[in-house]
């Protein structure tokens, strides 16, 4: 087809400088759009899923500088969301006060922009994170020897030909988790592609710090440390191994310790934890934490809901990839490209990536066989967003790709 040929020629003719200009222009347009456009004006009547908790954490950090739930926090929510914080998660602290029962790392990044942009601050942070992923994806493809145009297009397709952009307008950490895994993997493996310059300690520290933040946001992301320390140990890169263990470990420990210092417990999903619909604590003097809400603590519900049912797990493996409502094949199609490349031409890097991918998928399916996709009302499998980046780095070099195309 003539149009296809022309398109391929245009992509091939893009220079590195032109690709960088496209990236910067896209970032500028995206950032200005988030600041000026009322993205969420059509859905400001109510929250979706866990949005209420993350919104209130960001609001409390921005305006009060703490994680404590108060009546003032609640009344501020009603100004933007007339239905109130439906689905709010709270727990009791050591002093009897109420605290937000979700990880605070994603709202902490949103908080500096909250005073200026309000609810759109979430969209702004999400768009910036996707832009950073696009930049790093382009750098990765170019380092593999891909022409700038192809590297730019593949990185964009990896994001755009999936449900990832849909979560940019959600007030939940799905895009944040996606970005932390992607960034950490980039800084783990990119030094191998620039061996002429030698690995920089800063690459490892950045990757480890980001991985530590991701682990606090969603503990299953800690698989990053298993893969990072495993591959560096096998290769006897002791300096890099120490930087990943110490840097990432200290960040994760600091974040969990900070939550413990505020609340009296390191587990934000444990203790006396409830979710609230319709009626909220402190809304009136009679609406206390004890009288309203539904108990939803990991300490109580894990053995009841997350038991290992072998038959269900086996069925989930099929539905995880092929299910019509959340299957990877339909909603994260580029993942199949990466998996296909890794399985067809296994290399040391792709083997470790497959191990990490498999461990995270197994963690979700085995621990949550009845809710591995993230609950009702989600778009496809929202939990897969933090697994998805593993498949991007399975791509082979351009030399191998051309050999397959011509062979």
């Amino acid at each position: 087809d003539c149009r296809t040929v022309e398109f391929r020629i245009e992509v091939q003719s893009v220079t590195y400088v032109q690709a960088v200009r496209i990236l910067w222009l896209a970032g500028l347009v995206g950032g200005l759009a988030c600041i000026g456009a009322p993205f969420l004006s059509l859905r400001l009547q109510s929250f979706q899923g866990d949005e209420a908790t993350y919104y209130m954490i960001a609001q409390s950090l921005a305006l009060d500088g703490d994680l404590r739930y108060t009546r003032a926090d609640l009344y501020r929510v009603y100004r933007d969301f007339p239905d109130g914080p439906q689905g709010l998660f709270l727990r009791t602290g050591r002093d009897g006060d109420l605290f937000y029962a979700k990880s605070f790392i994603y709202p902490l990044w949103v908080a500096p922009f909250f005073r200026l942009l309000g609810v759109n601050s979430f969209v702004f942070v999400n768009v910036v994170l996707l832009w950073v992923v696009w930049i790093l994806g382009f750098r990765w493809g170019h380092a593999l020897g891909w022409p700038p145009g192809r590297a730019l297009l593949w990185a964009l397709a990896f994001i755009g030909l999936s449900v990832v952009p849909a979560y940019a307008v959600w007030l939940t950490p799905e895009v944040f988790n996606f970005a932390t895994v992607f960034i950490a993997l980039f800084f783990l493996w990119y030094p191998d592609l620039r061996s002429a310059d030698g690995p920089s300690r800063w690459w490892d520290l950045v990757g480890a710090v980001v991985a530590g933040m991701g682990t606090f946001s969603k503990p299953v992301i800690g698989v990053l440390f298993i893969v990072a320390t495993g591959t560096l140990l096998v290769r006897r890169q002791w300096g890099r191994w120490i930087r990943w263990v110490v840097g990432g470990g200290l960040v994760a420990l600091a974040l969990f310790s900070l939550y413990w210092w505020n609340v009296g417990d390191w587990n934000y999903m444990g203790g006396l934890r409830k979710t609230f619909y319709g009626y909220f604590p402190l809304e009136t003097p009679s609406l206390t934490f004890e009288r309203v809400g539904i108990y939803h603590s990991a300490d109580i519900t894990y053995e009841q809901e997350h038991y290992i049912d072998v038959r269900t797990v086996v069925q989930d493996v099929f539905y995880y990839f092929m299910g019509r409502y959340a299957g990877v094949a339909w909603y994260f199609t580029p993942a199949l490209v990466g998996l296909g490349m890794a399985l067809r031409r296994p290399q040391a890097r792709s083997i470790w990536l497959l191990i990490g991918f498999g461990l995270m998928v197994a963690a979700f399916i085995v621990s949550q066989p009845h809710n591995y996709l993230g609950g009702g009302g989600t778009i496809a499998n929202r939990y897969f967003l933090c697994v998805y980046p593993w498949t991007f780095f399975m791509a082979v070099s351009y030399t191998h790709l051309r050999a397959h195309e011509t062979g």
Side-chain angles (χ1 to χ4, degrees):
D1 187 276
C2 293
R3 292 182 179 179
T4 302
V5 173
E6 290 175 0
F7 176 74
R8 293 184 64 177
I9 293 174
E10 288 294 330
V11 172
Q12 287 287 96
S13 64
V14 174
T15 65
Y16 184 84
V17 173
Q18 289 173 330
V20 171
R21 288 175 179 171
I22 292 172
L23 286 168
W24 280 105
L25 180 61
L28 179 62
V29 172
L32 292 176
C34 292
I35 294 173
F39 273 99
L40 303 178
S41 61
L42 297 179
R43 42 166 309 212
L44 284 181
Q45 296 300 310
S46 62
F47 289 103
Q48 168 72 28
D50 298 330
E51 288 182 328
T53 310
Y54 291 108
Y55 177 87
M56 293 193 72
I57 294 175
Q59 172 192 257
S60 186
L61 288 172
L63 303 180
D64 303 324
D66 60 33
L67 298 172
R68 186 176 278 102
Y69 169 83
T70 65
R71 184 179 299 176
D73 291 348
L74 178 62
Y75 288 168
R76 284 195 295 253
V77 171
Y78 277 114
R79 292 185 306 193
D80 289 332
F81 295 85
D83 289 345
Q86 304 295 333
L88 175 65
F89 279 93
L90 297 173
R91 58 161 298 162
T92 57
R94 63 157 66 98
D95 56 2
D97 287 346
L98 300 180
F99 293 86
Y100 298 106
K102 288 285 185 181
S103 170
F104 63 80
I105 186 62
Y106 170 59
L108 183 64
W109 282 91
V110 174
F113 309 99
F114 190 89
R115 283 180 176 271
L116 177 64
L117 303 177
V119 69
N120 269 18
S121 57
F122 288 87
V123 183
F124 177 76
V125 170
N126 290 341
V127 169
V128 169
L129 288 172
L130 292 179
W131 179 60
V132 171
V133 167
W134 189 15
I135 292 174
L136 297 183
F138 163 71
R139 288 288 300 272
W140 177 264
H142 189 258
L144 284 177
W146 290 43
R150 283 200 175 193
L152 187 70
L153 187 61
W154 169 238
L156 178 62
F158 184 80
I159 299 170
L161 297 181
S162 70
V163 298
V164 171
Y167 281 96
V169 294
W170 279 47
L171 316 186
T172 54
E174 269 58 55
V175 169
F176 178 83
N177 295 336
F178 167 76
T180 55
V181 175
F182 194 101
I183 294 169
L185 288 173
F186 175 86
F187 283 102
L188 172 63
W189 296 111
Y190 189 72
D192 293 346
L193 304 183
R194 56 191 298 274
S195 56
D197 301 326
S200 169
R201 69 184 63 181
W202 296 110
W203 293 91
D204 293 321
L205 289 176
V206 171
V209 167
V210 172
M213 291 190 294
T215 300
F216 180 68
S217 179
K218 186 171 283 294
V220 71
I221 294 177
V223 168
L224 281 167
F225 289 106
I226 298 176
V227 172
T229 56
T231 185
L232 296 176
L233 189 64
V234 168
R235 295 157 61 177
R236 299 186 179 182
Q237 294 180 326
W238 308 117
R240 297 191 65 196
W241 185 86
I242 291 173
R243 287 191 287 271
W244 270 86
V245 171
V246 176
L250 286 177
V251 169
L253 179 62
L255 292 170
F256 280 108
S257 298
L258 186 58
Y259 191 83
W260 173 85
W261 181 74
N262 276 274
V263 180
D265 187 359
W266 65 271
N267 184 6
Y268 46 78
M269 297 185 68
L272 290 176
R273 182 176 186 257
K274 284 184 172 183
T275 182
F276 301 89
Y277 294 89
Y279 301 96
F280 308 99
L282 308 182
E283 189 169 9
T284 65
S286 62
L287 294 177
T288 63
F289 180 84
E290 293 75 18
R291 297 186 64 179
V292 295
I294 305 169
Y295 281 104
H296 200 286
S297 171
D299 298 339
I300 300 173
T301 62
Y302 184 84
E303 293 184 359
Q304 298 175 353
E305 298 180 5
H306 300 162
Y307 58 89
I308 298 178
D309 181 336
V310 176
R311 180 180 177 182
T312 301
V313 168
V314 172
Q315 292 175 337
D316 283 348
V317 171
F318 172 79
Y319 289 119
Y320 195 93
F321 291 94
M322 303 302 295
R324 57 180 169 175
Y325 296 118
V328 170
W330 323 122
Y331 300 99
F332 299 91
T333 306
L336 301 183
V337 178
L339 288 169
M341 289 184 177
L343 294 173
R344 180 178 177 82
R345 294 180 179 273
Q347 303 170 350
R349 182 179 71 244
S350 59
I351 291 173
W352 280 107
L353 289 167
L354 287 170
I355 291 172
F357 178 87
L359 287 174
M360 290 190 73
V361 171
F364 283 119
I365 291 179
V366 172
S367 66
Q368 303 183 68
H370 304 289
N371 188 31
Y372 63 81
L373 53 81
T378 64
I379 303 172
N381 184 343
R382 70 182 178 95
Y383 287 162
F384 187 75
L385 266 74
C386 64
V387 186
Y388 186 39
W390 293 86
T391 63
F392 180 85
F393 297 93
M394 297 176 185
V396 298
S397 67
Y398 187 67
T399 303
H400 288 154
L401 184 65
R402 289 292 296 169
H404 175 70
E405 288 179 349
T406 59

